Amino acid sequence: MVSWFRRNKSDKAAETAPEPPAQAPSVATPEPAPATEAPAAAAGRKGWTQRVRGIFTKDITELFGRNPKLDDDLLDEIETALLSADVGVTATTEIVDKLRKRMKAREFADAHELLAALRAELLALLQPIAQPLAIDASAKPFVILTVGVNGVGKTTTIGKLARRFKDEGRNLMLAAGDTFRAAAVAQLQQWGERNGVVVIAQGQDADPASVAFYALQAAKSRGADVLIADTAGRLHTQGGLMNELGKIKRVLGKLDANAPHEVLMVIDGTTGQNALSQLKQFNAAVQVTGLVVTKLDGTAKGGVLFALAREFGIPIRFAGIGEKPEDLRVFDAEAFVDALLPASLGA
């Protein structure tokens, strides 16, 4: 912690032109990718259904069974199910109020129609922000700055993105900017070797803004299509460390006025409503332009995606539904809702 605040005393100098590092940035030599054994999720929507737990299915089926009549008691139970799934108070209230108004107007003939209306409301929240990441080919390189708190799977996500872009035939490089965590540089270098991608690194406790600066210089000189820069995981309440992100962004802008072209925040799908406060703080610091929501397989409730959509409207680029690189999927709103709710009662 002390080393971070000491570096902040020389921010102006770093932003003007970072001093050459005592040790030249290392360039990891790509190694052939090892064979993978464990299977990824099935392709298409089947994979979403396999991996994303039906966070509503059991509750919805049971509550319709307990309340076959369309009345306020049924809507109250729907409201409780949504809140329990981390959909959030604001989004839940709006959804239930709309359903109540339509039910009072006798728009639903039976519970099946009410379920269809609930699905439609959930889908309407997600569809506007289901926007895939578009790489601008005119940006050489297209710079992606990844941010997020500790433990969300940020470095792993970078590795999976590297695999995706490599498979798309893009020439890319990685910048090991998480110099705060001892194993982070080595972890990113392993991903680079696994995917055959060059990694620029300076080692632990190096100035992350300097790492980003020299990585962008190297990417430009090598004609890279994409540069993905890692950053230190930090709590959104750590003001000094959050300021470091702003510094990295400004230093990148010295070499390319439009860089970074994407600020991609990685969010752990298991964190629930705390994800809202995280995004609020990171967005204030570096203007987040896209989200990756990880760990949606396993214990994640997943409802926080609806809360994020309602509160911020920031595009969700990718969703993690498994451990394999292929399990980092372009976010599909329809597939996600299909995996959460049955299309009909008894389905």
Side-chain angles (χ1 to χ4, degrees):
M1 180 66 75
V2 174
S3 60
W4 283 87
F5 286 105
R6 285 177 178 169
R7 284 199 301 269
N8 286 345
K9 294 180 181 178
S10 58
D11 280 357
K12 285 188 177 180
E15 292 176 29
T16 302
E19 291 295 326
Q23 181 180 3
S26 64
V27 179
T29 304
E31 297 289 342
T36 56
E37 297 179 358
R45 294 191 178 184
K46 183 178 180 181
W48 289 86
T49 303
Q50 287 177 342
R51 296 294 178 85
V52 179
R53 290 186 175 180
I55 60 175
F56 303 130
T57 303
K58 182 178 180 180
D59 288 341
I60 292 293
T61 302
E62 288 183 353
L63 70 87
F64 275 108
R66 293 194 302 268
N67 297 274
K69 295 191 300 183
L70 300 182
D71 56 18
D72 285 333
D73 289 340
L74 177 55
L75 288 178
D76 288 343
E77 293 216 39
I78 291 176
E79 182 176 38
T80 299
L82 294 176
L83 290 173
S84 298
D86 282 331
V87 173
V89 174
T90 302
T92 295
T93 299
E94 290 183 356
I95 290 171
V96 173
D97 284 350
K98 289 179 181 179
L99 294 178
R100 180 173 284 108
K101 182 177 180 180
R102 294 180 63 186
M103 191 175 71
K104 298 296 184 183
R106 300 181 182 277
E107 293 186 26
F108 307 131
D110 53 29
H112 293 276
E113 291 189 5
L114 176 59
L115 176 60
L118 173 59
R119 284 171 52 91
E121 291 292 343
L122 293 172
L123 189 57
L125 273 175
L126 294 183
Q127 277 183 324
I129 50 88
Q131 301 176 26
L133 176 62
I135 303 296
D136 182 359
S138 66
K140 298 286 284 187
F142 185 88
V143 181
I144 302 172
L145 182 67
T146 56
V147 301
V149 302
N150 287 312
V152 297
K154 183 165 46 62
T155 304
T156 299
T157 294
I158 292 173
K160 292 179 180 180
L161 284 175
R163 168 69 176 275
R164 170 180 289 273
F165 294 149
K166 187 79 172 181
D167 289 346
E168 291 174 354
R170 302 184 190 276
N171 178 19
L172 72 148
M173 296 175 66
L174 306 179
D178 184 356
T179 61
F180 193 62
R181 185 165 59 93
V185 174
Q187 183 183 359
L188 195 66
Q189 288 175 330
Q190 288 174 359
W191 274 107
E193 292 171 359
R194 195 176 304 170
N195 294 307
V197 174
V198 171
V199 178
I200 302 297
Q202 291 183 13
Q204 187 181 0
D205 291 331
D207 181 356
S210 178
V211 175
F213 184 87
Y214 286 105
L216 182 50
Q217 278 189 327
K220 281 180 171 292
S221 67
R222 298 182 184 209
D225 299 316
V226 179
L227 170 66
I228 309 177
D230 195 6
T231 60
R234 62 206 71 207
L235 294 176
H236 55 285
T237 54
Q238 292 174 301
L241 298 183
M242 293 296 288
N243 291 338
E244 191 79 26
L245 287 179
K247 175 183 172 183
I248 294 170
K249 186 176 180 181
R250 292 190 298 272
V251 166
L252 288 171
K254 299 295 181 181
L255 290 175
D256 183 340
N258 296 316
H261 304 90
E262 176 85 356
V263 178
L264 199 60
M265 181 171 175
V266 182
I267 291 176
D268 183 339
T270 68
T271 57
Q273 294 299 295
N274 190 42
L276 298 178
S277 59
Q278 291 176 16
L279 180 51
K280 181 179 179 180
Q281 296 298 324
F282 277 90
N283 194 37
V286 287
Q287 296 178 308
V288 176
T289 57
L291 303 176
V292 179
V293 183
T294 62
K295 306 179 185 180
L296 289 177
D297 58 318
T299 60
K301 293 183 178 180
V304 70
L305 272 70
F306 300 99
L308 292 169
R310 170 62 183 78
E311 297 298 328
F312 297 97
I314 295 175
I316 299 178
R317 308 297 194 188
F318 300 96
I321 61 172
E323 296 298 323
K324 293 299 176 185
E326 301 90 334
D327 292 328
L328 184 68
R329 301 288 182 89
V330 173
F331 182 63
D332 184 332
E334 291 189 18
F336 184 70
V337 172
D338 283 346
L340 299 183
L341 274 176
S344 62
L345 295 175

